[in-house]
Amino acid sequence: MAREWRDVFVVDGAPAGVSGSDEPTGTEEKRMGPFRRLRENLRRTRQALRSEIQATLFEDLSEQTWERLEEALIYADVGARTTARVVAELEQEATAGKLTGGEALTSRLTELLADIARTGDDRIDVTARPTVILLAGVNGTGKTTTAGKLAWHLTTELGLSVVLGAGDTFRAAAVEQLELWAQRAGARLVKGPPGADPGSVAYEAIAVARREGTDVAIIDTAGRLHTQDELMAELEKVRRAITKQLPEAPHETLLTVDATTGQNGLQQARLFSEAVKVTGLVLTKLDGTAKGGIALAIAQELGIPVKLIGVGEQLEDLRPFDPAEFARALVAS
Amino acid sequence: MFDSLADKLQATLADVRGRGTLTEQDVTAAMREVRLALLEADVNFKVVKSFTEAVKTRALGADVIGQLNPGQQVVKIVADELTELMGGSGRELAFSPRPPTVVVMAGLQGSGKTTAAAKLARYLREQHGSSVALAACDVYRPAAVEQLVKVGAQAGADVYEQGTGEDPVKIAAWARDRATAEGKDVLIIDTSGRLHIDQELMAELANIKKVTSPHDILLVVDAMTGQDAVAVAEEFAEVVQFDGVVLTKLDGDARGGAALSVKAITGKPILFASTGEKLDQFERFHPDRMAQRILGMGDVMTLIEKAQDAYDEDQAAELERKLRKQQFGLDDFLEQLRQVRRLGPLQSLLGMIPGLGNELRGAKVDEREFDRVQAIILSMTPEERRHPELIKGSRRLRIARGSGTNVQAVKQLIKQFEQMRKVMRQVAQGRMPDLGALMRQSR
Ligand SMILES: Nc1nc2c(ncn2[C@@H]2O[C@H](COP(=O)(O)OP(=O)(O)OP(=O)(O)O)[C@@H](O)[C@H]2O)c(=O)[nH]1
Ligand SMILES: Nc1nc2c(ncn2[C@@H]2O[C@H](COP(=O)(O)OP(=O)(O)O)[C@@H](O)[C@H]2O)c(=O)[nH]1
Ligand SMILES: [Mg+2]
Ligand SMILES: [Mg+2]
């Protein structure tokens, strides 16, 4: 079964504001929505890949099997390198007689992919007061949307109070965009004057959280390409401003990666990580047909885990990442 | 990072030289490398398959003679073929004989539609003197209308909006009428991002098309897109039969194989390249450069053109005169640096130089270095700038203090300047310096 919010977020004892029962009253409906959405999405993903791999279920393991397998992984944006490694491993196991037939191959493949996806600590500790979560990533990958959804989930699922810091002071109407998300999520917004220094906004947002005893501060930032040195330096400055306000912060630095991203995603993760020490990924737009396989390459090469996934544009369309489910979606279940 | 394809192929084809022609075996081996390079560049694997097959036929029996080594020869064949595939008909934006010309921007969420809409408005105003209006039909994404209002104003275009309460199809029809009434030359319709599998929103797009009868529908595609580009392009092509493609975020280091995938699958031309967040970072698409980029061969042409744009003819003549007369001083050096800087971030320039791109991809270029150099030069007297050889002992110390740097930095700068002056003299005398050696030296 998919992971639940409480599997991802580390909270102190019983979460505040939410009754003790596992199924808080009235949220049943809300829960079914995103679940159905996700399942539908995963089904679509599976169907596409199943047709790629299906033949393996009925055939002996032949040269063609490996080729088809390779293609399926490449098609999922896993990348040549990680694909080669996975296929080599399976081929070796097959030669050693450990895998006979397509069925065994498929289940071993799923296992292997899930193992790769399962890397590092994939939980988000929100016990610090306030907990500071910094969002970073390339333009248009979903930082602001994730900020809004995350605020809503922290509030509704875990009963935490949230401040949103409008750290994108560059893009036209970026502050207004976050402002609307803050309204939807019922979170407080902290913004600076137009063209403000993003570091100061972040600093101020955390100051507000500390002053008012808010549980979590989420800092949105402007999109930037990892190749833009000046903008990456600016992001480092934002991080320093956060640390100046609260020495142990940011507690979590999440990189948004669009699931449709190809091999460039690896370089994105590498350079963002060098600049601001990324602790996890949010894999967004998984509601499309893209499989987000680049996350596997990132996990494999850099050891950065996916923590959350985006499955739509509504408040509820954010889910905990589940390696096994992700692997099953990449392969046929 | 990966070695350049040409180097790899050279290793694969090392023993071809003696034989003079490429055998089937050579070509098969070479295509394995080509295939990997294309996959690494995110070209869809089905496209890669048919492409390498086509190239194989062309490469078979090709003579390896003349200037190129076999590796380069194969790369050239591949690059030519890629260029042809991506260029093809070279259709332009279609203009209606009866204004307004209507353009619809469409694509996935976050691909760069709104920015591209404003860029295109600015481009048409500047290049064709058109009067342009933008229609705000993204009523879903929070603050999408505000965003268009802002970038539209920057682009000098009127923005037609009705807030977020109205139906996008109605807004589009209303905007078209208004553009006609107001005598606009061009109406560009910004639409909301949509997934190609979202039937409701795809139907909405088809309806926008129906009520506005656009002359051009442009699909906006992020250059970082992976294998999925094919599925997206296929679906948009089927539902709205778009006319051309805008490729965005080319200012990054993505190889952009999606461009090839989209073109190969739909046959629609790529019309424009978007290369930054600012509205003037928008240019015509050049298939030859894109082919080289996908193959990881740098982008000399873009670099040369950029340099030409930023370069002042008179200054250039003056510089040449100074170089010939050996009067090139630190003042001129500073001016050169400023010019280079105007071309854009150094990192992206380096990526455009073949051979250097891969070597320096991981290297960090510190833009602040410019500021330090500038501070040092500005702390010198005019006399010292003309004759750096004067700068010794106490002068050096004075300059270091004045610029807030140290003696070592001043020494280093003068040494680099002397080296550069030597190279420039060679260039002025018509000898091409060895760029690679120069880069290695200065590190
Ligand atoms: N570096 C870079 N950023 C770009 C480019 N084009 C657009 N962007 C940025 O990418 C992000 C998304 O661009 P938008 O123009 O808002 O994209 P959109 O397709 O309208 O997005 P939605 O309306 O949200 O679906 C913004 O942060 C832009 O500033 C480009 O060529 N290079
Ligand atoms: N389909 C889909 N769209 C998303 C998702 N996350 C974000 N988006 C959309 O992608 C676009 C860019 O998102 P935004 O949050 O503005 O990105 P930012 O530039 O990184 O802050 C917007 O149109 C969002 O509505 C997702 O999980 N699925
Ligand atoms: Mg944003
Ligand atoms: Mg938009």
Side-chain angles (χ1 to χ4, degrees):
Chain A
M1 197 59 259
R3 289 172 81 208
E4 290 298 317
W5 282 90
R6 282 178 192 74
D7 300 332
V8 175
F9 288 92
V10 181
V11 285
D12 259 343
V18 175
S19 67
S21 92
D22 272 346
E23 290 292 326
T25 44
T27 57
E28 177 68 15
E29 273 296 294
K30 273 188 205 140
R31 283 190 169 204
M32 281 317 289
F35 253 110
R36 200 176 315 119
R37 224 174 253 273
L38 178 66
R39 262 199 300 272
E40 271 166 15
N41 165 41
L42 294 182
R43 194 179 310 126
R44 275 197 303 271
T45 316
R46 273 198 296 273
Q47 274 162 0
L49 263 162
R50 181 179 283 143
S51 59
E52 298 293 338
I53 297 194
Q54 193 137 55
T56 63
L57 290 170
F58 306 107
E59 281 172 16
D60 280 337
L61 306 183
S62 67
E63 190 53 42
Q64 244 192 354
T65 309
W66 302 118
E67 207 169 289
R68 204 169 284 125
L69 185 58
E70 220 176 273
E71 281 178 355
L73 292 176
I74 291 286
Y75 187 54
D77 291 317
V78 171
R81 199 153 148 164
T82 306
T83 295
R85 190 181 156 275
V86 169
V87 174
E89 167 79 30
L90 287 172
E91 244 177 313
Q92 198 182 24
E93 289 180 16
T95 315
K98 283 191 235 159
L99 297 175
T100 44
E103 201 111 21
L105 174 72
T106 311
S107 77
R108 178 67 186 125
L109 171 64
T110 316
E111 208 176 274
L112 213 59
L113 296 178
D115 281 348
I116 296 174
R118 214 175 279 122
T119 181
D121 184 0
D122 64 352
R123 288 167 311 164
I124 297 175
D125 190 333
V126 288
T127 49
R129 287 295 170 268
T131 294
V132 178
I133 301 176
L134 176 65
L135 284 166
V138 158
N139 313 76
T141 46
K143 292 170 290 300
T144 309
T145 309
T146 300
K149 293 175 188 172
L150 186 54
W152 185 82
H153 274 100
L154 289 173
T155 308
T156 17
E157 304 275 342
L158 305 174
L160 300 172
S161 56
V162 179
V163 161
L164 286 169
D168 182 353
T169 57
F170 176 76
R171 211 207 64 199
V175 175
E176 288 86 338
Q177 187 186 356
L178 189 67
E179 202 155 23
L180 283 161
W181 277 110
Q183 278 169 23
R184 288 181 183 178
R188 156 130 202 223
L189 181 88
V190 173
K191 63 178 179 184
D197 169 54
S200 321
V201 177
Y203 187 87
E204 181 54 27
I206 298 161
V208 167
R210 295 181 72 177
R211 204 163 52 229
E212 301 186 355
T214 314
D215 299 322
V216 182
I218 301 173
I219 312 295
D220 187 22
T221 61
R224 67 200 77 224
L225 294 176
H226 50 290
T227 50
Q228 295 167 325
D229 289 344
E230 278 168 59
L231 295 183
M232 292 306 281
E234 180 196 85
L235 187 62
E236 286 171 43
K237 233 177 93 190
V238 172
R239 192 180 199 279
R240 278 199 302 274
I242 291 173
T243 308
K244 207 165 126 203
Q245 174 62 258
L246 198 63
E248 61 277 16
H251 305 84
E252 197 70 53
T253 301
L254 298 177
L255 178 73
T256 51
V257 174
D258 185 329
T260 52
T261 310
Q263 298 312 299
N264 194 243
L266 190 55
Q267 197 65 354
Q268 290 173 20
R270 187 174 283 132
L271 293 186
F272 269 98
S273 215
E274 277 172 18
V276 290
K277 181 104 200 46
V278 172
T279 54
L281 300 188
V282 183
L283 193 58
T284 63
K285 310 187 195 174
L286 266 177
D287 45 330
T289 51
K291 323 286 188 299
I294 192 62
L296 274 186
I298 294 171
Q300 165 93 63
E301 306 258 330
L302 306 172
I304 304 172
V306 181
K307 297 194 173 181
L308 301 168
I309 61 173
V311 291
E313 297 182 87
Q314 304 306 314
L315 273 175
E316 63 270 20
D317 296 334
L318 187 73
R319 299 288 314 159
F321 174 73
D322 185 323
E325 197 155 352
F326 177 70
R328 276 198 299 275
L330 275 177
V331 187
S333 59
Chain B
M1 217 46 219
F2 283 73
D3 293 334
S4 98
L5 178 61
D7 294 346
K8 275 194 170 170
L9 286 175
Q10 192 40 32
T12 312
L13 303 174
D15 58 339
V16 176
R17 194 44 134 185
R19 282 183 272 120
T21 46
L22 295 171
T23 65
E24 170 134 28
Q25 218 180 3
D26 296 330
V27 175
T28 306
M31 284 310 126
R32 252 200 305 276
E33 297 296 341
V34 172
R35 175 175 176 271
L36 263 181
L38 293 177
L39 287 178
E40 193 60 33
D42 292 321
V43 180
N44 181 271
F45 77 96
K46 284 181 189 152
V47 175
V48 171
K49 240 184 192 168
S50 51
F51 177 77
T52 44
E53 239 126 70
V55 176
K56 206 167 156 177
T57 327
R58 238 190 89 173
L60 253 180
D63 289 331
V64 180
I65 40 164
Q67 307 269 304
L68 301 176
N69 69 37
Q72 291 168 331
Q73 178 83 18
V74 172
V75 171
K76 187 174 181 318
I77 294 173
V78 173
D80 286 350
E81 199 80 354
L82 268 181
T83 307
E84 208 177 299
L85 227 169
M86 276 187 300
S89 66
R91 177 191 184 278
E92 300 281 331
L93 212 60
F95 285 94
S96 166
R98 271 196 318 141
T101 294
V102 179
V103 184
V104 173
M105 316 296 287
L108 295 183
Q109 289 93 344
S111 62
K113 297 170 294 299
T114 307
T115 309
K119 286 178 171 186
L120 182 60
R122 181 186 180 279
Y123 178 90
L124 292 175
R125 196 170 58 83
E126 299 227 321
Q127 305 285 319
H128 300 259
S130 314
S131 63
V132 185
L134 289 159
C137 292
D138 181 358
V139 301
Y140 306 112
R141 211 208 66 195
V145 175
E146 287 88 337
Q147 185 189 358
L148 189 71
V149 166
K150 286 190 176 162
V151 291
Q154 285 168 27
D158 285 354
V159 177
Y160 297 166
E161 55 104 354
Q162 298 192 316
T164 56
E166 195 56 81
D167 170 37
V169 180
K170 289 206 180 108
I171 299 174
W174 163 80
R176 193 189 208 288
D177 291 344
R178 184 168 162 192
T180 312
E182 294 182 3
K184 295 289 176 197
D185 298 322
V186 183
L187 173 70
I188 302 172
I189 299 177
D190 181 35
T191 65
S192 68
R194 66 199 74 221
L195 286 172
H196 53 295
I197 49 169
D198 188 326
Q199 291 184 359
E200 217 172 290
L201 285 183
M202 289 304 281
E204 177 198 280
L205 189 63
N207 282 332
I208 289 179
K209 176 178 176 173
K210 207 155 87 193
V211 300
T212 59
S213 318
H215 305 90
D216 303 273
I217 300 182
L218 301 181
L219 182 69
V220 181
V221 179
D222 187 325
M224 293 177 277
T225 313
Q227 299 284 320
D228 203 39
V230 160
V232 175
E234 261 176 344
E235 199 61 36
F236 274 90
E238 179 160 336
V239 177
V240 291
Q241 300 89 34
F242 62 87
D243 303 285
V245 174
V246 180
L247 201 60
T248 64
K249 306 185 196 171
L250 275 166
D251 44 328
D253 60 356
R255 300 265 289 275
L260 178 65
S261 302
V262 171
K263 179 71 208 288
I265 292 287
T266 66
K268 306 296 185 191
I270 301 160
L271 298 176
F272 295 101
S274 174
T275 56
E277 293 190 80
K278 305 214 177 79
L279 296 189
D280 60 347
Q281 294 170 320
F282 189 66
E283 42 192 74
R284 295 282 311 277
F285 176 77
H286 295 280
D288 48 342
R289 299 178 197 170
M290 197 63 214
Q292 291 173 15
R293 179 179 177 136
I294 289 176
L295 294 174
M297 286 163 61
D299 193 349
V300 221
M301 288 310 295
T302 301
L303 183 63
I304 291 171
E305 252 181 38
K306 272 195 173 182
Q308 273 170 351
D309 279 354
Y311 216 78
D312 178 323
E313 291 280 337
D314 296 341
Q315 274 179 4
E318 171 69 8
L319 174 68
E320 210 189 304
R321 191 184 61 75
K322 281 189 174 165
L323 276 171
R324 255 189 286 110
K325 299 204 166 171
Q326 311 207 350
Q327 287 173 344
F328 184 77
L330 276 161
D331 265 328
D332 305 298
F333 178 59
L334 187 58
E335 184 49 36
Q336 289 301 302
L337 279 185
R338 285 178 176 153
Q339 295 230 2
V340 169
R341 214 174 178 184
R342 244 173 273 146
L343 294 180
L346 201 49
Q347 194 90 46
S348 74
L349 293 179
L350 285 178
M352 293 178 188
I353 303 174
L356 291 186
N358 285 321
E359 196 180 333
L360 290 181
R361 193 157 301 198
K364 282 262 138 196
V365 178
D366 189 352
E367 300 275 344
R368 280 165 305 191
E369 184 66 30
F370 273 122
D371 299 330
R372 277 194 289 275
V373 167
Q374 178 161 321
I376 292 174
I377 296 178
L378 291 179
S379 299
M380 298 173 185
T381 65
E383 177 71 3
E384 286 165 348
R385 289 182 215 168
R386 271 194 300 278
H387 302 287
E389 57 277 7
L390 292 176
I391 301 171
K392 304 245 156 60
S394 66
R395 284 181 191 248
R396 213 183 265 146
L397 195 62
R398 193 200 77 240
I399 295 166
R401 288 223 181 97
S403 58
T405 59
N406 54 44
V407 171
Q408 197 48 41
V410 178
K411 255 189 185 167
Q412 169 99 16
L413 170 66
I414 292 170
K415 193 174 143 212
Q416 279 175 350
F417 171 70
E418 292 296 351
Q419 271 176 6
M420 177 178 161
R421 189 149 68 168
K422 213 165 86 193
V423 173
M424 293 190 76
R425 224 172 276 147
Q426 289 175 1
V427 176
Q429 289 161 2
R431 266 183 284 143
M432 190 60 198
D434 180 352
L435 265 184
L438 195 70
M439 291 309 298
R440 279 189 291 279
Q441 230 175 45
S442 63
R443 258 187 298 154

